[in-house]
Amino acid sequence: MSGSCPATGVPSRHRRLSDGMRDALNGYLPIDQYGLIGNLHTAALVGMDGSIDFMCWPEFDSPSVFCRLLDKNKGGHFAITPACASTTCKQQYLPFSNVLATKFLCEDGVGVVTDFMHRPRPRSRSHSHMMPWLVRSVEVIRGEMTFDMECFPAFDYARTPHALQIDEIHDADPCVPARHAAEAENSVFQSVFLHWDTTDQNTESYNGTERAVFTPDKCEHDVGLGVTSNEADRAAQTAVHEMDLRYVVGCMGGGSCPRIKLTASDHGSGLGQGVTSQFTLSEGMRVFFIMRSTPDECSDMYLAKYDPALSMKYAETLLEDTLLYWLGWIRSCTYFGRWLENVERSALILKLLTYEPTGAVVAAVTFSLPEAIGDAGRNWDYRFTWVRDSAFTMYAFMRLGLTKEAKQYMGFVRALCQEKNPDGGLQIMYTLRGGREMAELELEHLEGYRACAPVRIGNGAADHLQLDIYGELLDAVYLYNKFSQPLSFDEWVDIRALVDYVCDNYNQPDMGIWEVRGMRQNFTYSKVQCWVAIDRGLRLVDKRDFPCRNKDRWQHTRDTLYEEIMERAWNPELEMFTQSYEHHEMLDAAVLAMPLVFFCAGTDPRFVKTMRRIMLPPHRGGLTANNLVFRYNAVETDDGLSGEEGTFSLCTFWLAEALSRASKADVTLLYKAQVIIDEMIMYGNHVGLFSEEIDKAGKHLGNFPQAFTHIALISAAYNVDRALKSSNHHS
């Protein structure tokens, strides 16, 4: 994927991005112009113009340090951009990894900015722990190129001022022969992937002679996210750390190394100064910029582990570690079907969205990216773990043979089951550490992406009743028992209690999978998933002979609920399953999941008629436009919000999978399923990432990248592939 990049050679803080990348959207990049990097604790979005415009630090739900994505003036950013007059940008992941390379091409040269957060090398004794650093490598692989670097942090969601100090590093080494790269392990691996001649004996390097230290003021807030009784959540969600920016420079071929000078510079936000630098690199030259929290301990053991001497060799080793980590992880994937590249990329993104300490899966790394451009107010914080999303993620990982993540998440579920709600149920979402409090707050000082306010942190839907989560969780647990590891008795006791809860509460109206903020209803999808929860509990009893005193009650409730859905959710006049018992004229794409969870066959006439109605365009009463599916009619549905929204990517993949299930009666539907997946993949961005929604112009809307969409892509690809193989076998 390529695009136009900043032009003019004046320092970038004094100019606008003049030839379209940001000016077309009044200073913002399109949401789909970003790639994602991360370390399983936090993540950052890197724009195609070389700017990091979003990063919460040090964890996913910590306050932002860079947030230009939500306010072009105040939010803060870390940009490395070329100064040449006319530049083309390309961005891609290095093979089988989450290491992101942004390439700049102009008449005078070709430069590459490589971004990553370190992951430790697998089974390594010398590099066994993670360095919590943001690392940016800048190099020129042809000709010569001048770069503008600017780092303007805005701590605590741009609420807290900071002081800047540029310190001299007196023990920095001069530019001397280093001979380091040839000594590094797997030097052939480095030379293949990293544009760096590891056999060149004339390599020189020097450590930076200065560092920029950003010290935020102490801050306390008495409302909003982080105001919680959970100490671990409070520590993470209010973390505002002092950070520093360092660098190391290297060059090959015996030439002199470029000199880097950090200069203090004012920023329009008024929160504190940033640093800028302009430097010129020729072919074979390289600079690593490293940003991190400054060490908060002075013990020799701590400093040796987390504050090692910085050198070109060490920086390269961090990059090599990270590449080997991701390569080793994705090699365990067992999918080799038609959409291999897309499935592997989705799996890598889902892994990036996994919070390593607990196994929880964050729904998206961002907050308050709008689901509709304008003042609809559909802006939410997704930096939490939904039971639904995590259960679907566990299913996706198991389908791909990645069972370690499923085991880790089951441990997280066990912990949640130890602290149920007073009524015996679960919350729909939790913090990444299992906390329950995530108070919602509007940040009125931020204008929002493309001036789409409000900007919200925290999530007020945490206390919603959404009964569908039990079906999704029990289905994932059933598959975990089948494909990963047998349930223990203690795990069964927890699961049994959840099934009892569903039997007691299935007849309550709830807020549904879409978390409407209007009236509670008896949503069809919620009822179907309640049936799934009870059905999977009964299957576990039958397959494992687990003790279940209430088995007869479960069977009676399951069968009663099935007939109730068939009677109360079916509209015989319109011949479709409806959104809820209360609204017999409303369609909802969530019912496409019926055959996916084996509630009914994909060939069931009632389901087929519903699916075909969903496939009609909106003006004819359907939900599909250009093979993209709306989740419901946002104008006519009472969801407690105003305005329209885009098509829902998850629902489009669900349609493809449902068509494959229905193709047993009509093989032409299988071809339609292939077409939908292929077309939907084209709506992914240049590195294969998806947001929550797609607008009428094919642009991404909503938080990005979104776990739900990548889960649905994996599931659709896996099951449509299986249907294709079965069809070919019988043809």
Side-chain angles (χ1 to χ4, degrees):
M1 180 71 183
S2 63
S4 300
C5 290
T8 83
V10 297
S12 54
R13 63 188 183 278
H14 298 310
R15 58 170 165 80
R16 309 287 289 176
L17 300 178
S18 59
D19 48 3
M21 269 190 110
R22 290 182 184 268
D23 285 353
L25 298 180
N26 193 28
Y28 292 93
L29 282 182
I31 293 172
D32 59 9
Q33 294 290 293
Y34 289 94
L36 182 73
I37 60 171
N39 60 7
L40 311 189
H41 292 255
T42 190
L45 291 177
V46 186
M48 283 190 66
D49 61 352
S51 179
I52 293 179
D53 288 347
F54 186 91
M55 184 180 78
C56 294
W57 190 269
E59 303 201 334
F60 289 111
D61 55 348
S62 297
S64 62
V65 174
F66 303 122
C67 198
R68 179 156 67 167
L69 191 62
L70 293 173
D71 194 303
K72 62 180 184 292
N73 297 315
K74 301 175 186 174
H77 64 279
F78 183 2
I80 301 175
T81 56
C84 49
S86 180
T87 307
T88 298
C89 309
K90 296 181 182 291
Q91 195 175 67
Q92 66 180 42
Y93 285 104
L94 296 186
F96 313 111
S97 81
N98 282 315
V99 175
L100 189 67
T102 306
K103 186 174 291 187
F104 303 103
L105 303 93
C106 69
E107 291 294 331
D108 297 329
V110 177
V112 181
V113 176
T114 303
D115 292 298
F116 67 98
M117 293 183 187
H118 177 245
R119 288 296 304 165
R121 181 182 311 210
R123 297 176 295 279
S124 171
R125 295 181 179 178
S126 58
H127 305 96
S128 59
H129 65 279
M130 185 187 79
M131 298 304 298
W133 295 355
L134 168 66
V135 185
R136 312 198 71 186
S137 163
V138 191
E139 61 182 313
V140 168
I141 58 177
R142 180 184 65 78
E144 183 179 276
M145 185 171 285
T146 298
F147 291 90
D148 290 313
M149 184 282 293
E150 52 185 33
C151 182
F152 289 104
F155 292 94
D156 188 29
Y157 306 108
R159 293 185 294 187
T160 299
H162 67 268
L164 167 68
Q165 181 172 329
I166 299 178
D167 294 337
E168 292 186 6
I169 302 176
H170 297 290
D171 59 348
D173 295 330
C175 187
V176 296
R179 313 239 191 277
H180 57 274
E183 301 169 1
E185 299 177 31
N186 293 312
S187 58
V188 173
F189 179 88
Q190 282 195 359
S191 64
V192 168
F193 283 93
L194 306 180
H195 306 296
W196 192 255
D197 185 359
T198 59
T199 63
D200 192 331
Q201 297 300 307
N202 294 316
T203 298
E204 298 178 352
S205 69
Y206 74 91
N207 301 338
T209 58
E210 56 192 354
R211 67 169 185 154
V213 182
F214 305 95
T215 306
D217 293 351
K218 291 186 177 180
C219 58
E220 293 185 6
H221 306 286
D222 56 6
V223 293
L225 192 62
V227 180
T228 172
S229 58
N230 186 305
E231 292 185 7
D233 282 344
R234 184 167 61 251
Q237 293 168 0
T238 61
V240 181
H241 293 179
E242 179 182 83
M243 302 185 74
D244 68 10
L245 177 66
R246 301 176 295 161
Y247 61 90
V248 60
V249 182
C251 55
M252 296 185 301
S256 60
C257 293
R259 310 308 298 182
I260 307 294
K261 177 66 177 175
L262 300 180
T263 303
S265 180
D266 293 329
H267 189 254
S269 68
L271 292 172
Q273 290 184 310
V275 293
T276 63
S277 181
Q278 188 172 85
F279 53 92
T280 300
L281 302 181
S282 300
E283 185 173 343
M285 295 180 177
R286 187 179 207 172
V287 182
F288 278 96
F289 290 98
I290 295 108
M291 195 168 187
R292 59 169 187 170
S293 298
T294 56
D296 56 3
E297 287 188 32
C298 296
S299 67
D300 291 342
M301 182 177 297
Y302 180 89
L303 293 177
K305 186 174 183 179
Y306 291 107
D307 191 25
L310 189 60
S311 67
M312 181 61 71
K313 175 182 177 179
Y314 190 77
E316 289 171 350
T317 301
L318 294 181
L319 177 52
E320 183 181 294
D321 286 352
T322 306
L323 285 165
L324 288 171
Y325 171 84
W326 290 115
L327 175 61
W329 184 81
I330 198 60
R331 286 178 65 184
S332 300
C333 178
T334 58
Y335 175 86
F336 296 101
R338 168 188 184 98
W339 295 284
L340 175 61
E341 182 179 352
N342 308 100
V343 167
E344 286 188 339
R345 176 49 52 199
S346 289
L348 284 162
I349 293 303
L350 289 178
K351 181 64 174 175
L352 269 185
L353 299 179
T354 303
Y355 182 60
E356 185 176 49
T358 63
V361 178
V362 66
V365 302
T366 57
F367 56 91
S368 286
L369 286 177
E371 296 173 9
I373 301 301
D375 58 358
R378 298 173 183 266
N379 311 344
W380 316 110
D381 189 348
Y382 277 16
R383 298 172 300 155
F384 307 105
T385 183
W386 272 251
V387 171
R388 176 188 307 113
D389 298 42
S390 295
F392 280 140
T393 303
M394 185 162 69
Y395 164 82
F397 280 146
M398 285 189 292
R399 281 304 190 198
L400 301 180
L402 303 167
T403 57
K404 179 180 177 181
E405 285 69 26
K407 293 177 183 178
Q408 192 176 20
Y409 180 67
M410 274 301 299
F412 183 69
V413 170
R414 283 293 315 280
L416 298 183
C417 289
Q418 303 306 309
E419 299 183 15
K420 298 186 184 76
N421 295 338
D423 64 355
L426 300 175
Q427 282 195 177
I428 66 165
M429 70 177 87
Y430 294 85
T431 70
L432 301 176
R433 290 153 291 277
R436 297 169 173 271
E437 301 168 71
M438 50 203 83
E440 189 171 286
L441 176 68
E442 293 186 7
L443 301 179
E444 296 181 355
H445 65 289
L446 297 178
E447 72 170 17
Y449 177 74
R450 295 179 58 186
C452 294
V455 173
R456 295 185 177 99
I457 57 173
N459 200 303
D463 60 353
H464 279 191
L465 177 66
Q466 296 175 19
L467 293 170
D468 66 284
I469 66 171
Y470 300 98
E472 292 138 355
L473 178 59
L474 264 293
D475 192 37
V477 169
Y478 173 77
L479 293 172
Y480 173 81
N481 177 81
K482 183 177 181 180
F483 294 113
S484 181
Q485 183 171 305
L487 289 181
S488 68
F489 174 74
D490 291 331
E491 289 170 333
W492 165 247
V493 171
D494 291 332
I495 296 304
R496 184 176 63 188
L498 292 180
V499 179
D500 285 334
Y501 173 86
V502 173
C503 289
D504 292 337
N505 293 275
Y506 77 89
N507 56 357
Q508 291 191 50
D510 70 349
M511 309 301 275
I513 182 177
W514 308 130
E515 297 179 358
V516 299
R517 299 203 173 191
M519 295 290 292
R520 288 189 179 187
Q521 301 177 47
N522 288 283
F523 286 101
T524 301
Y525 179 81
S526 295
K527 302 304 181 186
V528 168
Q529 288 292 356
C530 285
W531 178 90
V532 171
I534 304 170
D535 178 75
R536 301 310 188 263
L538 287 166
R539 292 192 191 198
L540 285 168
V541 171
D542 292 340
K543 290 183 178 298
R544 293 290 309 279
D545 293 324
F546 280 129
C548 183
R549 297 173 183 174
N550 294 330
K551 182 178 180 181
D552 290 343
R553 183 195 179 206
W554 288 10
Q555 288 177 324
H556 176 74
T557 304
R558 180 189 63 176
D559 296 345
T560 299
L561 179 54
Y562 194 100
E563 293 194 0
E564 175 186 295
I565 294 169
M566 286 300 188
E567 178 181 350
R568 299 186 63 188
W570 175 252
N571 183 325
E573 288 78 25
L574 296 177
E575 295 189 308
M576 69 179 193
F577 286 110
T578 60
Q579 183 180 60
S580 67
Y581 294 172
E582 291 81 1
H583 292 96
H584 252 216
E585 71 288 348
M586 294 293 181
L587 263 179
D588 191 325
V591 301
L592 289 169
M594 283 181 162
L596 279 53
V597 297
F598 301 102
F599 175 81
C600 65
T603 56
D604 185 288
R606 288 191 178 191
F607 175 76
V608 172
K609 290 174 181 177
T610 304
M611 181 179 66
R612 291 193 180 278
R613 178 169 286 274
I614 288 173
M615 293 171 66
L616 294 174
H619 69 273
R620 294 179 56 193
L623 296 175
T624 303
N626 192 29
N627 280 340
L628 301 177
V629 182
F630 294 92
R631 53 181 173 175
Y632 52 76
N633 187 320
V635 176
E636 297 181 3
T637 297
D638 175 24
D639 61 4
L641 299 165
S642 62
E644 299 182 8
E645 62 179 17
T647 58
F648 216 75
S649 301
L650 163 74
C651 296
T652 304
F653 283 120
W654 274 0
L655 175 59
E657 189 169 348
L659 285 165
S660 73
R661 304 296 177 102
S663 67
K664 293 180 180 179
D666 182 357
V667 72
T668 62
L669 297 180
L670 186 55
Y671 174 75
K672 180 70 172 177
Q674 289 181 259
V675 170
I676 288 177
I677 292 179
D678 286 337
E679 289 191 359
M680 187 62 201
I681 284 172
M682 289 194 298
Y683 286 102
N685 80 345
H686 55 288
V687 288
L689 308 190
F690 289 88
S691 64
E692 189 171 36
E693 300 181 15
I694 305 293
D695 73 6
K696 295 177 181 177
K699 302 297 184 182
H700 288 217
L701 294 171
N703 285 306
F704 178 82
Q706 212 232 16
F708 228 163
T709 307
H710 288 277
I711 295 163
L713 185 156
I714 291 171
S715 181
Y718 178 89
N719 287 293
V720 173
D721 254 330
R722 186 166 62 175
L724 285 168
K725 292 175 182 176
S726 177
S727 174
N728 292 335
H729 178 73
H730 291 99
S731 61

